[in-house]
Amino acid sequence: MGTPDVTELLSDLIRVDSVTGSAGEGLVLDLVQAWFAGHAGSRVVRSPATTDGLLVVPARPSPRSSGPHLAFSCHADVVPTGAEGSWTTPPFQPRIAEGRLHGRGSSDMKAGLAAAMVAVARLHEQDLPVVLALSVGEESGCLGAPVLVDMLSAAGIDLGAVVIPESTANRIVLGHRGALWLRVETRGTSAHGSTPSAGRNAVLAMRDVLLRLDAVPLTAHPRLGAETLNVGTIAGGSVPNMVPDVCVVRVDHRVTEAASAARILDWWRGRPDVADVTVELDLAPVWTDETDPWVASLPGRVAREPAAYFTDASVFVRSMPDVPMVVWGPGDPTRVHSVDESVSLDLLADAVLAYVSAGVRWAASPV
């Protein structure tokens, strides 16, 4: 069963309705800052906007805290609950049952945040070179992570390794695919629906584009797997008796190479029927080799498969390409974004111990 301090902390975090884009994101940052105020070894640095992110750094400089830091990078926001009547109990009212703590965000990723907070506080008591980084807007495409990169630079903190405490059931996951979200538009000419030959139908033009999707130049990675695409939305026309002059689709590509975005964009922009392509999200793929000395030092089991989702590591890797990064957290990957989301209290407690061990090992032998 989870230790009381981290279980109570996670319960407090769940009570904050911090759906992406809400004021609750800032309230989580306030809660984290207030909690660390009771730990003399730690110092909190807030972003200039105060609601965009924070860092928790060692309060006392020492020879051991002056080198490259190990970062635990978390996010404050959660996804919407859906119909609250589908939940056994209200989603922001934490509930313990059968060794699990239930509530929205319990697995994604407030369990990882709570475990990292407790571990970082214990490591700062020893003046060890670790930092907690907390972003907002992760669920909408890692919107807050660039703020953390800027804050780390402004604070003069070099990172030597990064743990993303997302939901992996405490397995060490070495990476994930990136994401390229595109808005693709075809255009036509309006006409009366009774004389469609007088116009040009943008929806039919988009149909012709989509029929060629098998030709999109996708590749594969030996560990990250195959690149994919999903046409997520389509919109065109307004009424049945008009020829639509605009059709828009939004496409989600999951990519495995840094060069994939340019290659895929070239394909879309090269279609004669496509009038415009806008990049709405461009996140890099992440992969750290299991032979990396830091990975080998971590106290946990390394997973063979990548994470299915993306994380803030996609933002960090572009400014820190040589820094090893792993996804490693107590959340249950089968319960995230679900009704009655929950986390094992045993895994929560285990994560605290593992993170403390990782921090001590990092300080003893920084890589």
Side-chain angles (χ1 to χ4, degrees), residues 182-188 200-213 216 231 245-251 253 264-279:
L182 303 178
R183 180 188 183 277
V184 181
E185 181 176 313
T186 55
R187 296 174 191 155
R200 182 173 181 272
N201 193 309
V203 171
L204 297 182
M206 183 64 76
R207 174 203 62 186
D208 293 341
V209 174
L210 298 181
L211 286 174
R212 303 188 191 106
L213 290 183
V216 177
V231 179
D245 60 352
V246 176
C247 184
V248 174
V249 298
R250 285 182 165 83
V251 186
H253 289 273
I264 292 169
L265 272 170
D266 284 346
W267 186 89
W268 282 102
R269 288 173 174 162
R271 299 312 93 202
D273 288 319
V274 170
D276 185 62
V277 181
T278 303
V279 176

Side-chain angles (χ1 to χ4, degrees), residues 159-191:
L159 297 188
V162 178
V163 172
I164 308 289
E166 288 281 10
S167 303
T168 68
N170 283 346
R171 295 183 305 159
I172 298 166
V173 175
L174 300 176
H176 52 75
R177 295 176 299 174
L180 177 67
W181 293 356
L182 303 178
R183 180 188 183 277
V184 181
E185 181 176 313
T186 55
R187 296 174 191 155
T189 304
S190 293

Side-chain angles (χ1 to χ4, degrees), residues 175-326:
H176 52 75
R177 295 176 299 174
L180 177 67
W181 293 356
L182 303 178
R183 180 188 183 277
V184 181
E185 181 176 313
T186 55
R187 296 174 191 155
T189 304
S190 293
H192 196 282
S194 65
T195 55
S197 60
R200 182 173 181 272
N201 193 309
V203 171
L204 297 182
M206 183 64 76
R207 174 203 62 186
D208 293 341
V209 174
L210 298 181
L211 286 174
R212 303 188 191 106
L213 290 183
D214 286 346
V216 177
L218 303 179
T219 187
H221 182 278
R223 296 295 296 274
L224 292 177
E227 294 185 328
T228 59
L229 70 86
N230 176 62
V231 179
T233 69
I234 184 167
S238 54
V239 292
N241 59 339
M242 282 186 65
V243 174
D245 60 352
V246 176
C247 184
V248 174
V249 298
R250 285 182 165 83
V251 186
D252 175 359
H253 289 273
R254 297 303 167 107
V255 299
T256 64
E257 297 178 354
S260 294
R263 172 174 21 90
I264 292 169
L265 272 170
D266 284 346
W267 186 89
W268 282 102
R269 288 173 174 162
R271 299 312 93 202
D273 288 319
V274 170
D276 185 62
V277 181
T278 303
V279 176
E280 296 188 324
L281 182 69
D282 182 11
L283 296 176
V286 178
W287 184 256
T288 297
D289 196 272
E290 61 190 4
T291 62
D292 182 275
W294 172 64
V295 171
S297 77
L298 294 176
R301 181 168 66 90
V302 176
R304 294 293 300 173
E305 67 277 8
Y309 44 79
F310 57 72
T311 74
D312 281 345
S314 286
V315 175
F316 292 135
V317 74
R318 285 205 165 117
S319 58
M320 312 168 196
D322 299 321
V323 173
M325 304 180 189
V326 298

Side-chain angles (χ1 to χ4, degrees), residues 18-22 25 29 51-53 73-80 107-110 133-146 148 164-167 176-177 179 181 254 281 283 307-316 327 336-337:
S18 57
V19 169
T20 308
S22 72
E25 290 180 298
L29 269 61
T51 57
D52 288 345
S73 180
C74 306
H75 63 84
D77 57 318
V78 300
V79 296
S107 270
D108 184 12
M109 65 174 298
K110 289 180 177 178
L134 182 59
S135 72
V136 299
E138 191 272 351
E139 297 288 2
S140 329
C142 304
L143 297 182
L148 296 183
I164 308 289
E166 288 281 10
S167 303
H176 52 75
R177 295 176 299 174
W181 293 356
R254 297 303 167 107
L281 182 69
L283 296 176
Y309 44 79
F310 57 72
T311 74
D312 281 345
S314 286
V315 175
F316 292 135
V327 186
V336 300
H337 297 195

